[in-house]
Amino acid sequence: MPLGYDTASADITPARFNLKELLFADRRRAAQRAGLRDLKYRAMLDLRLADGACYRDDFAGGEEKFEGRLDMLASISRTGVAFNPNWSFRSGDPVGRLEEVAAGVLRYNQPPNTAGGRLLESTGATNKGRNPRFEGATAGALDGAGVLPSNVTVTGIADSAVSVVSTGYASGWPYLRIRLNGTPSSAPRIILEGLTQIAAATASEWTHSVGLALAAGSLTNVASVGVRIAERTSGGADVAAGSNDVTPDATHRRYVYSRTLSGGGTVAAITHEIIVNWSTGAIDVTLDILLPQIESGLAATSPVMPDEDDPAESTRGGETLTDGFAFTRASRAHAAKWDWSNGGQVGPLKEFLPNTMRQVEGAGLFVEPAVTCKNRNSRHLGAVAGTPGTAPTHHIVSGGGASTEIVGSGIEDGWPYVDVRWFGTPSGRMYMRFEGQTQIVVATGQKWCTTVGMRLTAGTLANITETKIRMDERTSGGSFVVGKIGPAIALDRSHRRFWHGATLDGGGTVERLDPQVEIVYDGSGDVDFTIRFYAAQITNTLTPRQPVLPEPNTTGEATRAAEMLTMTTTMNALGRSLYIEGFTLGETAGSTNWLLTLYKDAVNFGGYDLTNNLLYLDDYSPSGYFASNNPQAAGIGEVVRAAYCYAANDMAFSREGFDQVFDTSGSNTIDTATLGIGNLGGSASATAFCFSEIRIFPDRIEDEDAEALVSNAA
């Protein structure tokens, strides 16, 4: 049996259930069979998003399911098997186990160091390489008994210097282990397909993805190893080429190179290759090459392989959701457990792939509008340790007369950080600026927020009056206009996240913002302390957002795309009821801020506006609505519990702490509706929210039950 691969299993996706969850499901079913009235067991959709227990009973005509994650409750249509790479799809990132998943089964992708989630690829893909399993090889030197895998050739080095060490499977990934030991005549190229096999034309787009690892030897006399695409004539002659040049290490990482062909009219074919960029002298390097894939387009997709012992082009079909669970976010995103209090402790920071729900254990499902982090170095890159050392790029450290030291930088529990020490006798204020004074363009009247994690890593704050976040309003040339100063911060040895938001009011000359942490000296004695700063960010919001980071090892503004969760459900004469619970992540006063909507044929006909406490019920326009007796927005971090009960001519709305309100004027017959949460099409804006629980009931529950759900006293 090859290492790490089970050919007898068509679906080796690991189980994600635990005993507690299974007992929860059994209790629910038993209660349903007994006809109990308890609302906890009547929900057709019960999403305990903070606890990691999600249940669906015949939602939109599907079968009952019980899962630890909301996104895995969905059902899909896909012909044929597919492979789950447990990879982030970022070039150079490590991979986990390659899993084969049966037709029609959802894939759960769990990359190393990245949060897991549903992998859904709506468009199919074809791997044009015929032998990604490296079949047909024989171990040994090529000038002896050794034979390369079918369709693979090596150029630039003598056969006597090339050996097939082994082929097989490592954690499910097919590999070729090949040794190059000698002095090349030119940069050795491991060509992974016949020279004229893959037809292509100039201006067409192609992507080569492949796993690489340094298995033995060294990169002495090797400048880099390139993931390469070569453009060729109909006779196989080289026309043009390009590569992503990397430095493989002992870890299996998957690399990507995308290319738009540019060789002109003679281009008729391509080859995907590994090139060893040799400089001079002898080399001795052994590489693992794992599951090469060459496909059309400018993005790598999940691996596609033919059946064993049947080398040929292979295709994975597209995947389609069949039961209305859809989630969209066009970008990667990050999230950590945090209660949004100023100075609250935070959990590890996790990265989520595009279109993957940010469900964080112990918190819930985070859904936010689009946001841009305007400071260019929220990863605190470019720091050089020393006294004073070099501050991270675009940062400014001031000692205020005291000495400063950059102690170090790195990543802790997923959070990028930099450590800064102040010591000696200050003569003025000390500060850490997170951006140049004339970089962030603003205008008076706008809302801005600076958010940063901090903890004291060494020393004490003796002789320090206070530490606080401030944002200075400046002219386009950097002249000070007015300062927006936050409350005093209490630092300790715990990682806490602090923020300060303000509406700029410095007048017409204000055009720039200067965000910083200010440390105020009390004027007596020496100081000696070290503060660790985590993932500072400046956003055009009044309140903080989950961190938005640029790609690893890069600087620049970063944007997280808007998020939208939709669930389609069949309505009936009994109506529907909805319960939601969670807490707000941002400001809601001053404008319409939708928390959720129900809509039909892509037209909003109902929705809850958190700012004004309004529930819109009209079919095609928000003209028929009712409001509570005392409309009130929710404050940041405030828990919201609300229930919406619907039947023809009989609607009710409950929210914790408010009077229940009713409407009997609706006359619409609704057959199918979609519940939308997040960035709601056609609405003014969406509320940033963390959902800890969502329940949908198969009927219009009683008014007193709705009140009990939201914890309103009878």
Side-chain angles (χ1 to χ4, degrees), residues 231-396:
E231 305 177 39
R232 298 180 179 274
T233 67
S234 59
D238 281 329
V239 177
S243 63
N244 174 19
D245 296 330
V246 303
T247 304
D249 56 23
T251 299
H252 173 191
R253 303 176 185 275
R254 197 156 179 85
Y255 297 94
V256 179
Y257 174 61
S258 297
R259 180 175 178 84
T260 301
L261 306 190
S262 58
T266 63
V267 173
I270 59 168
T271 50
H272 56 311
E273 310 173 357
I274 303 299
I275 184 169
V276 178
N277 293 308
W278 166 68
S279 52
T280 186
I283 63 174
D284 187 0
V285 57
T286 301
L287 294 174
D288 280 350
I289 304 171
L290 303 100
L291 207 165
Q293 180 153 308
I294 182 73
E295 59 189 310
S296 62
L298 294 177
T301 67
S302 63
V304 184
M305 288 193 295
D307 293 336
E308 290 183 277
D309 302 318
D310 187 21
E313 292 182 7
S314 48
T315 298
R316 180 193 64 250
E319 295 169 312
T320 303
L321 290 173
T322 58
D323 57 1
F325 274 90
F327 181 83
T328 57
R329 184 189 60 249
S331 66
R332 298 175 189 266
H334 291 79
K337 182 181 177 182
W338 178 32
D339 65 3
W340 251 245
S341 63
N342 204 340
Q345 289 184 259
V346 298
L349 183 65
K350 298 181 179 180
E351 181 185 38
F352 294 80
L353 302 182
N355 299 322
T356 300
M357 299 178 190
R358 293 186 294 156
Q359 186 178 334
V360 176
E361 185 177 355
L365 176 68
F366 288 92
V367 181
E368 297 181 79
V371 67
T372 296
C373 178
K374 301 298 289 185
N375 52 307
R376 294 169 292 173
N377 191 8
S378 52
R379 289 188 178 272
H380 307 298
L381 300 174
V384 178
T387 306
T390 302
T393 306
H394 308 307
H395 291 46
I396 302 171

Side-chain angles (χ1 to χ4, degrees), residues 442-500:
V442 300
T444 194
Q446 291 180 343
K447 301 172 182 178
W448 286 87
C449 185
T450 295
T451 312
V452 61
M454 287 185 279
R455 74 179 178 94
L456 192 67
T457 61
T460 71
L461 294 176
N463 302 324
I464 298 300
T465 301
E466 59 183 2
T467 302
K468 51 196 176 184
I469 296 173
R470 65 179 290 159
M471 298 182 290
D472 288 346
E473 302 177 42
R474 296 183 178 273
T475 67
S476 60
S479 298
F480 177 81
V481 178
V482 66
K484 288 287 180 285
I485 302 173
I489 287 171
L491 294 179
D492 57 20
R493 292 302 204 260
S494 297
H495 176 187
R496 302 179 183 277
R497 199 144 178 88
F498 301 91
W499 60 275
H500 175 51

Side-chain angles (χ1 to χ4, degrees), residues 468-545:
K468 51 196 176 184
I469 296 173
R470 65 179 290 159
M471 298 182 290
D472 288 346
E473 302 177 42
R474 296 183 178 273
T475 67
S476 60
S479 298
F480 177 81
V481 178
V482 66
K484 288 287 180 285
I485 302 173
I489 287 171
L491 294 179
D492 57 20
R493 292 302 204 260
S494 297
H495 176 187
R496 302 179 183 277
R497 199 144 178 88
F498 301 91
W499 60 275
H500 175 51
T503 301
L504 308 188
D505 59 3
T509 63
V510 172
E511 296 186 34
R512 299 292 187 272
L513 193 67
D514 177 13
Q516 59 197 267
V517 169
E518 180 182 30
I519 305 164
V520 181
Y521 175 55
D522 69 4
S524 61
D526 288 348
V527 301
D528 192 350
F529 58 90
T530 302
I531 296 176
R532 177 165 292 181
F533 297 92
Y534 301 87
Q537 72 173 29
I538 294 87
T539 54
N540 191 185
T541 59
L542 187 60
T543 47
R545 296 290 182 260

